[in-house]
Amino acid sequence: MSSSAPPSLSHPCSGGGGNVRFSSFAPKTSSLLLLRRRRPSLLSSSFSLSLLAPPPPLAAAPSGCRLTRVSTAPVECAPPAPEFGFRSEIERLSALRSRLAGAGSVARKLAVIGADSRVEEFFGSPSADGGGLAGALGAVDLDEEEMFLIKCLVAAGQEHVLGAEVGIPEGEFRESAKSPLKSALYALAEMIERMDANRGERKMGVGSEDEDVGDLKKLLRTLQEIERFYDCIGGIIGYQIMVLELLTESVSERQSTNRLQNSKGSMESQILEIHPPAGLDLSRDTEYASQAALWGIEGLPDLGEIYPLGGSADRLGLVDPDTGECLPAAMLPYCGRTLLEGLVRDLQAREYLYFKLYGKQCVTPIAIMTSAAKNNHERITSLCKRLEWFGRGQSSFQFFEQPLVPAVSAEDGQWIITKSFVPVCKPGGHGVIWKLAYDKGIFEWFYKHGRKGATIRQVSNVVAATDVTLLALSGIGLRHEKKLGFASCKRNAGATEGINVLIERKNHDGKWAYGLSCVEYTEFDKFGMVNGSSNSLQAEFPANTNILYVDLQSAELVASSKDKTSLPGMVLNIKKPIEYVDDFGNTHSVSGGRLECTMQNIADSFLNTYHSRRYKGAEDELDTFLVYNERRRVTSSAKKKRKPLDKSFHQTPEGSLLDIMRNNYDILSQCNINLPEVEGNEKYIDSGPPFLILLHPALGPLWEVLRQKFCGGSISKGSELIVEVAEFLWRDVQLEGSLIIEAENVMGSTGIGKNGDLILQYGHRCGRCKLQNVKVLNEGIDWNFSGNVFWKHDVQRSESLKVILHGNAEFEATDVSFQGNHVFEVPDGHKMKITPGISGFSVQLETLAPNMVDSGSWYWKYKINGKHIGLELVEL
């Protein structure tokens, strides 16, 4: 497929139709100055900057924005940050980490950790009965590795995890481990005594029912996961060092937001500027957008899909209605199915489009990152099994579970615990996905499936696959051999989301580095960006949506590094309280956070370097890129529960449903269908949406495909339209009420695959429906029913017209009116035709001819015409 000549680049917020020229990157007088901690980069100037084709274009975008540069150029030396006891602790732990790095075997590491002053004092303290904690631990029969983990915990200053504190005021930074923490010894001793009395054994057997033994075993597993996963920064010791360094930086920022100090306390600095990035505006350059989307369809066999589903989603407040257990976001029932099912439906719609264009089956491998939070891993894998792997086969899925990490106090960096041996643990952010994927062999798994790149999206974003957005993103990434791509849009002021930026940095070797990256909202204050102000600097930067394209080999190169580069964007977000329930059932909320990584900041390893400064056209040659679209076609999330009397729908299921309705209004109005426009969210605070329209994504997913299946007619206010069939024709249909069309075989039928799994065979024995010159009039949804939950598609209806298609059944209605409640259920292998009759309409049921059983009596023939897709209705 030939490439079209791309238009020139401009910034999405640039005014008018012209292009922004980066004539000078010199800081303006209004730019903010601060010292920036140096971030290591994996790349150097030796990387090739050539492309197979010109880089992606950007058309003009919304007017009214000015080009803003935020400078972080060096200033006079900032005063050192207040110590607060952190600095000496960091130095002690850093020295210990260095000694452990050279130790080698577990035995040698035990010797090194045992010589640490804190460990010596703690383990050498005798208990009241003349014993020692080391003896008590030995009685539990810990092996060398487990003993090493316990000593690392103590060396990191977290001995309180082993038992309640004695004589140490809450919040006071612990300068030494002089307290023997007798309670820890007593807890362990009592545990051993109970084991002796109840079972006559001293070992931690698998079948142990002792609560303390179980807690200790879980603690050891947690410590082992931290030690192994964070090996690139020094395991448990390195984790605590990073926590203290980030806390030190946070304390310094609270006193001086325009000065940053690096982790070593030196004044070494570098020039760093961030600029609004340029990229392809899909909403304006529709011709290039169509071409890019075709590249995305063509490249589908080279793509994998990655879903980071390990987050705890606490703000959603989702619970199992039967058991009361907390549920992960992937299990949220949304528009009639879980959010995870929605992701797979979107993917299958793209695969169906590929089949219709090329006549080939394409099953995309899906890698899912889970976690133990809220039984996330077990629930997600169980859902996939229950749904028979979505007709894709178990071999097309790979799961990898991210470790949970301890939450820490914002005051002193101490691990928060609910009781002895039980630290409060949360997922360590979606940025762990790269290193974890490397550790668990996910990259190799993708390669075995013949994949070169992957698209990444989050489960709570329900509109990411709308129209061209996702396909254009992956198409440009594959076509131009990019390393990383962002799908972006206008940012809502005050939203808890980051921004995409163009980084310009002068390194200490004198070279200049450029690349697209992200600044998280928790970091805005470092750049003088006041969140929530429409006039603030960050309002001029597009939103980071965590919709990504990534080149797998490039990501693997970063993930396999043996340093902190493999954990991009490490942050300690202490702006939200840590809530937990203690052993007595009491709820606590404390200021704290946990060490998190951000997956999009892998971009920091993909900067291109030059020997001199680039005054214009920097984006033309970068390994990173950005596509831009209308916000509601890129991101709208169902990530937090709407509180009673809350006047905002932002990031709630209610708000995201309204955005889906807006998108449906946009596309159907382009089909000459009259329907009410969706107004601002405030209009629907106390009511449902103006209509409820849910269209299966396989009807497109590209809007130019869907436009050829719908034409003319009207949908009145308060109506409901549900279309769950891909082979569909709507011509001049007038709807006032509810119309529901459901097919068992939406995109095809399932058959037994090579491994005995059920495999969806696209285009085979599909259900079909044609409506031409039809009027539907019924009472529809009871909009006054207080129990309606529209975003769940859980509504009460007074009347409806419902068509149910079993197997390859077909339904056709022409020149008829349906008034009142009707249900037409068509059996497999049959066609039902509704035509005008004496009583209003006549029903005919006929058996499909043998030559129509698989392909149907009619079908849509898809064909590529230049940069576009044309449809032809073929009758057999």
Side-chain angles (χ1 to χ4, degrees):
M1 192 179 300
S2 63
S3 169
S4 61
S8 55
L9 290 165
S10 67
H11 169 240
C13 290
S14 61
N19 300 328
V20 173
R21 294 186 176 274
F22 293 91
S23 57
S24 173
F25 282 115
K28 293 184 177 181
T29 55
S30 61
S31 296
L32 296 169
L33 305 179
L34 61 155
L35 287 169
R36 180 69 171 167
R37 182 163 56 89
R38 186 179 183 183
R39 304 178 101 166
S41 176
L42 190 66
L43 303 183
S44 68
S45 58
S46 63
F47 276 78
S48 172
L49 302 179
S50 62
L51 299 173
L52 291 181
L58 173 77
S63 61
C65 289
R66 60 184 176 85
L67 177 61
T68 299
R69 306 180 179 93
V70 178
S71 172
T72 58
V75 294
E76 296 180 1
C77 290
E83 293 301 307
F84 289 97
F86 291 149
R87 188 59 58 194
S88 60
E89 185 74 353
I90 291 172
E91 291 174 354
R92 180 185 70 84
L93 291 175
S94 297
L96 176 59
R97 178 173 61 180
S98 297
R99 293 194 298 272
L100 286 171
S105 68
V106 175
R108 293 185 65 183
K109 286 183 177 180
L110 264 174
V112 171
I113 199 79
D116 177 75
S117 58
R118 193 166 194 133
V119 174
E120 278 187 334
E121 290 188 58
F122 182 79
F123 280 84
S125 299
S127 68
D129 58 5
L133 183 54
L137 288 169
V140 193
D141 196 33
L142 300 181
D143 60 27
E144 281 189 333
E145 183 183 6
E146 291 169 331
M147 183 61 76
F148 172 71
L149 296 173
I150 291 293
K151 290 188 175 181
C152 282
L153 183 71
V154 174
Q158 310 305 318
E159 57 268 39
H160 65 284
V161 175
L162 300 175
E165 299 282 347
V166 177
I168 300 180
E170 184 177 352
E172 180 177 322
F173 187 82
R174 297 158 184 84
E175 298 293 343
S176 68
K178 292 182 180 180
S179 169
L181 297 180
K182 296 178 182 179
S183 56
L185 171 60
Y186 293 154
L188 286 169
E190 290 173 5
M191 174 183 71
I192 296 165
E193 288 175 3
R194 287 196 297 273
M195 292 168 65
D196 287 340
N198 296 336
R199 291 179 292 277
E201 60 181 28
R202 302 171 76 87
K203 296 186 177 181
M204 298 193 305
V206 175
S208 170
E209 296 179 358
D210 188 283
E211 182 180 352
D212 289 329
V213 172
D215 290 341
L216 179 57
K217 287 174 66 178
K218 289 179 182 178
L219 173 62
L220 288 168
R221 285 196 296 269
T222 298
L223 295 176
Q224 185 182 63
E225 288 179 348
I226 297 171
E227 182 66 20
R228 291 181 179 178
F229 182 75
Y230 290 96
D231 56 355
C232 58
I233 59 173
I236 295 170
I237 302 301
Y239 181 92
Q240 190 62 20
I241 291 172
M242 186 59 63
V243 165
L244 295 179
E245 286 181 344
L246 291 172
L247 274 177
T248 303
E249 185 177 280
S250 177
V251 169
S252 178
E253 286 162 16
R254 286 199 295 267
Q255 299 214 351
S256 179
T257 58
N258 70 328
R259 291 186 174 96
L260 296 178
Q261 202 170 345
N262 69 20
S263 60
K264 295 181 180 179
S266 71
M267 291 298 102
E268 190 176 44
S269 60
Q270 59 192 4
I271 294 176
L272 173 67
E273 290 189 17
I274 62 172
H275 313 267
L280 168 67
D281 190 336
L282 303 172
S283 65
R284 291 176 177 261
D285 195 339
T286 55
E287 286 296 298
Y288 196 89
S290 295
Q291 176 67 83
L294 283 177
W295 290 336
I297 301 166
E298 182 184 35
L300 205 59
D302 293 326
L303 286 170
E305 196 100 340
I306 302 176
Y307 302 147
L309 305 186
S312 56
D314 293 332
R315 290 184 294 168
L316 202 52
L318 184 61
V319 297
D320 188 311
D322 298 322
T323 66
E325 295 178 350
C326 294
L327 297 175
M331 304 300 294
L332 180 73
Y334 189 88
C335 291
R337 61 197 57 85
T338 65
L339 287 179
L340 177 57
E341 291 174 78
L343 290 188
V344 179
R345 273 163 57 101
D346 286 342
L347 175 59
Q348 289 176 325
R350 298 194 295 278
E351 293 172 342
Y352 181 73
L353 178 57
Y354 178 85
F355 170 81
K356 295 291 285 186
L357 286 171
Y358 300 103
K360 299 176 183 178
Q361 182 91 355
C362 179
V363 178
T364 305
I366 302 173
I368 300 178
M369 184 176 73
T370 63
S371 76
K374 299 180 179 177
N375 207 16
N376 174 301
H377 180 82
E378 178 60 32
R379 290 186 181 276
I380 289 172
T381 53
S382 295
L383 175 66
C384 293
K385 291 175 184 176
R386 178 167 57 83
L387 297 176
E388 297 183 288
W389 305 102
F390 303 92
R392 310 176 65 77
Q394 185 174 354
S395 62
S396 68
F397 287 86
Q398 194 79 339
F399 298 89
F400 54 119
E401 189 172 352
Q402 74 178 108
L404 300 182
V405 298
V408 302
S409 165
E411 187 173 359
D412 56 12
Q414 293 290 285
W415 295 9
I416 300 170
I417 63 173
T418 61
K419 63 175 181 175
S420 299
F421 314 124
V422 184
V424 175
C425 289
K426 300 279 187 179
H430 46 54
V432 304
I433 198 168
W434 309 116
K435 183 179 186 298
L436 190 65
Y438 176 76
D439 290 348
K440 301 299 183 181
I442 301 300
F443 290 105
E444 286 298 324
W445 179 72
F446 274 129
Y447 300 150
K448 288 179 181 178
H449 283 269
R451 307 296 150 153
K452 299 177 182 177
T455 49
I456 300 101
R457 60 179 290 197
Q458 292 185 293
V459 71
S460 60
N461 184 353
V462 296
V463 300
T466 301
D467 195 17
V468 298
T469 300
L470 211 53
L471 283 169
L473 176 71
S474 59
I476 292 171
L478 284 170
R479 189 75 171 188
H480 297 310
E481 298 184 318
K482 298 289 188 176
K483 293 181 178 179
L484 187 74
F486 297 89
S488 188
C489 59
K490 182 179 179 181
R491 184 178 185 275
N492 283 344
T496 54
E497 59 192 13
I499 55 174
N500 289 126
V501 301
L502 170 66
I503 289 178
E504 181 191 36
R505 186 179 73 197
K506 185 177 183 181
N507 296 331
H508 293 285
D509 59 5
K511 295 179 181 178
W512 291 83
Y514 295 87
L516 300 182
S517 189
C518 169
V519 175
E520 274 298 313
Y521 72 96
T522 56
E523 309 292 293
F524 284 167
D525 53 356
K526 296 179 182 179
F527 297 94
M529 298 178 175
V530 181
N531 201 20
S533 171
S534 60
N535 296 320
S536 67
L537 292 174
Q538 41 99 355
E540 301 185 22
F541 291 80
N544 174 66
T545 65
N546 286 333
I547 305 172
L548 306 174
Y549 163 81
V550 67
D551 175 74
L552 291 171
Q553 289 189 343
S554 299
E556 184 185 24
L557 184 62
V558 177
S560 61
S561 63
K562 302 300 181 181
D563 55 32
K564 64 181 181 180
T565 306
S566 62
L567 299 171
M570 277 190 284
V571 295
L572 188 69
N573 182 6
I574 57 175
K575 295 189 176 182
K576 297 177 182 177
I578 298 293
E579 297 181 352
Y580 66 95
V581 179
D582 64 20
D583 197 26
F584 301 100
N586 299 316
T587 300
H588 299 263
S589 180
V590 299
S591 177
R594 81 263 193 194
L595 190 61
E596 296 183 75
C597 306
T598 50
M599 65 180 178
Q600 65 274 13
N601 281 104
I602 193 175
D604 296 339
S605 293
F606 298 144
L607 302 184
N608 295 98
T609 55
Y610 303 87
H611 290 286
S612 59
R613 198 172 195 179
R614 308 281 291 187
Y615 287 99
K616 61 179 180 178
E619 285 99 329
D620 292 353
E621 301 171 335
L622 298 182
D623 290 323
T624 50
F625 71 100
L626 178 144
V627 297
Y628 184 92
N629 207 345
E630 294 288 341
R631 182 177 176 90
R632 62 175 176 263
R633 301 178 196 174
V634 179
T635 182
S636 189
S637 297
K639 62 170 57 175
K640 68 179 182 181
K641 184 178 181 179
R642 184 188 172 206
K643 298 177 181 178
L645 304 180
D646 193 344
K647 298 298 182 180
S648 173
F649 281 160
H650 181 62
Q651 295 184 331
T652 65
E654 292 88 346
S656 60
L657 180 69
L658 284 171
D659 281 334
I660 292 175
M661 296 306 104
R662 292 184 179 101
N663 287 331
N664 287 336
Y665 169 84
D666 289 345
I667 179 57
L668 293 179
S669 61
Q670 293 175 24
C671 303
N672 295 319
I673 298 174
N674 294 320
L675 69 168
E677 189 170 358
V678 184
E679 301 180 51
N681 287 355
E682 66 280 358
K683 176 78 173 181
Y684 309 104
I685 294 296
D686 299 317
S687 67
F691 51 76
L692 193 57
I693 300 177
L694 299 174
L695 307 176
H696 195 285
L699 286 162
L702 297 178
W703 282 6
E704 75 168 0
V705 172
L706 189 146
R707 277 197 300 265
Q708 297 172 72
K709 296 180 179 180
F710 286 79
C711 182
S714 62
I715 300 173
S716 66
K717 183 178 180 181
S719 291
E720 175 189 26
L721 173 63
I722 311 299
V723 182
E724 286 289 308
V725 59
E727 297 293 290
F728 179 71
L729 173 67
W730 165 299
R731 291 289 184 269
D732 297 318
V733 178
Q734 298 178 45
L735 172 61
E736 185 175 345
S738 289
L739 171 59
I740 303 168
I741 302 164
E742 296 178 346
E744 287 180 355
N745 297 350
V746 177
M747 297 170 285
S749 61
T750 55
I752 304 299
K754 295 178 180 179
N755 299 323
D757 293 326
L758 285 177
I759 301 298
L760 175 61
Q761 298 173 323
Y762 290 118
H764 184 255
R765 296 176 59 87
C766 292
R768 300 169 202 278
C769 179
K770 289 199 293 188
L771 304 176
Q772 300 180 85
N773 193 25
V774 171
K775 293 182 180 180
V776 179
L777 178 62
N778 56 62
E779 292 297 321
I781 293 175
D782 179 2
W783 292 87
N784 295 319
F785 178 60
S786 60
N788 289 334
V789 183
F790 297 101
W791 59 266
K792 287 185 179 181
H793 197 208
D794 182 6
V795 296
Q796 180 166 296
R797 301 178 186 90
S798 300
E799 294 177 328
S800 68
L801 169 60
K802 191 169 187 179
V803 177
I804 302 172
L805 304 173
H806 294 282
N808 63 348
E810 300 184 10
F811 180 86
E812 293 184 8
T814 306
D815 299 329
V816 295
S817 297
F818 298 101
Q819 189 165 351
N821 196 57
H822 297 278
V823 177
F824 298 101
E825 193 163 357
V826 190
D828 185 24
H830 291 76
K831 174 191 282 190
M832 180 177 288
K833 298 179 70 173
I834 311 294
T835 55
I838 298 176
S839 61
F841 56 82
S842 174
V843 180
Q844 293 177 298
L845 184 65
E846 56 189 46
T847 303
L848 290 173
N851 66 321
M852 300 177 182
V853 170
D854 291 338
S855 59
S857 65
W858 66 274
Y859 64 90
W860 287 111
K861 182 179 179 180
Y862 291 43
K863 186 178 180 180
I864 296 176
N865 299 319
K867 302 175 185 178
H868 300 279
I869 299 173
L871 270 61
E872 177 189 355
L873 195 151
V874 178
E875 302 268 6
L876 297 181

